[in-house]
Amino acid sequence: MSSTNPPLASKLSGLQSSAIRDLLKLTTRAEIISLAGGLPDAELMPRERIAKAAEGALSGTGALQYTESPGWAPLRAVLAERESARLGRVVPVDEVFVTHGSQQALSLLSEVLLDPGALVVVEDPAYVGALQVFRAAGARIVAVPLDAEGMRIDALRELLARGERPAVVHTVSNFHNPGGVTMSPRRRGELAELAEAHGFWVIEDDPYGELWFDSPAPAPVATYSRNVIRLSSASKIIAPTLRVGWMVAPDRVCRAVELLKQGADLCGSALTQQIAADLLADETWLTAHVDTVRTTYSTRAKALVHAVRTAFGDRITCTDATGGMFVWADFADGTDTGALLPHALNEGVAYVPGSAFAVDGAYRESMRMCFTTSDASTLEQAIDRLARAHARAAG
Ligand code: PMP
């Protein structure tokens, strides 16, 4: 009997697996120093403190039970307090919603805010996890380039002047993934003004804001307007395994997200939410812990940037790495980073070519390097290898 394959939904036809995830499969050989991943350093994750919190949570039965869809109430209370301090206003608990990592907030928000064909403005180069979500929602995606001050608001203004009406503008305001830059305070104010004048939502996707190196990140875009939905996460400051992210949004958005979360997974994990609440409420411990992560990453970032500038001089420009996990570099000598990659892998170093993050720009001469998981001398060795690969590719 002949069989006919049942189809998948047509919206899947335009979706691809993340190029980065596919590439990562090739870069796990032990001899390769990988600057390609985007992972926080597991050695810095507070295993013992998490174990203690888990033990405390498991002394009762609540941690084993379903919890409320918007999150375990004491965790929401701790988050409301932290976000109130960050935003300089009282954030009511009803405006805080806990998600399965901030990635789930992006996914649920795309269902709540976007009709098929709605326009979403993203930054170019873009956070690929956001692109995947917006593409899956059937959105029309238009990109606005980044420069050293973050999203080019002049380009957004031009787009609006052409009559484009975005439903959502997505920004990674602090220590951009992959672009490495931070939006200036002036542009934050301008973006918020445009959001109010044109009636669009801004999703301020901020998992890296607390990982600043020399000076704290500027006040969030969300301090300028209630049209801004702010996302953050415990992944980079504590551990991704908790899958605790959160959103600060107007009550009506939180209620709509709640309806969809019920359909998606009923609720998050009461166990990891209790652990997260314990750690986030322990301010003295948390401050010391985040300081350690920050200073460790800062030393690594500076070593990487110094090594890149020493090895390549004016053949490359790279971001200063003022926080977060990534350095973005542009070759000025015409090097194609996609063509360079096999040579780099031969020499034992991996990075992600810029094209993996491209929306409109090609970024063929760019690359993203992650500095979190190797110490300074290993990063220097990685750049030596990259320089050898570059010489070999040129020769
Ligand atoms: N937003 C950005 C910009 C990210 O880089 C990431 C993680 N790579 C996320 C959101 C999702 O993080 P999580 O779901 O672990 O909170």
Side-chain angles (χ1 to χ4, degrees), residues 38 100-104 106 127 172 177 205 207-208 233 235-236 240 243-245:
H100 194 81
S102 49
Q103 189 65 32
Q104 189 188 37
L106 286 171
Y127 168 50
V172 181
N177 174 15
D205 188 357
Y208 303 108
S233 172
S235 292
K236 309 305 189 306
R243 302 317 292 135
V244 166

Side-chain angles (χ1 to χ4, degrees), residues 324-377:
M325 304 193 345
F326 305 104
V327 165
W328 180 264
D330 299 299
F331 277 98
D333 62 357
T335 298
D336 179 325
T337 53
L340 177 63
L341 187 59
H343 296 279
L345 291 172
N346 266 342
E347 292 292 340
V349 60
Y351 58 83
V352 185
S355 59
F357 311 98
V359 188
D360 279 350
Y363 302 113
R364 281 179 178 288
E365 291 157 25
S366 312
M367 62 185 174
R368 186 192 77 174
M369 291 176 282
C370 177
F371 48 74
T372 52
T373 47
S374 306
D375 62 20
S377 69

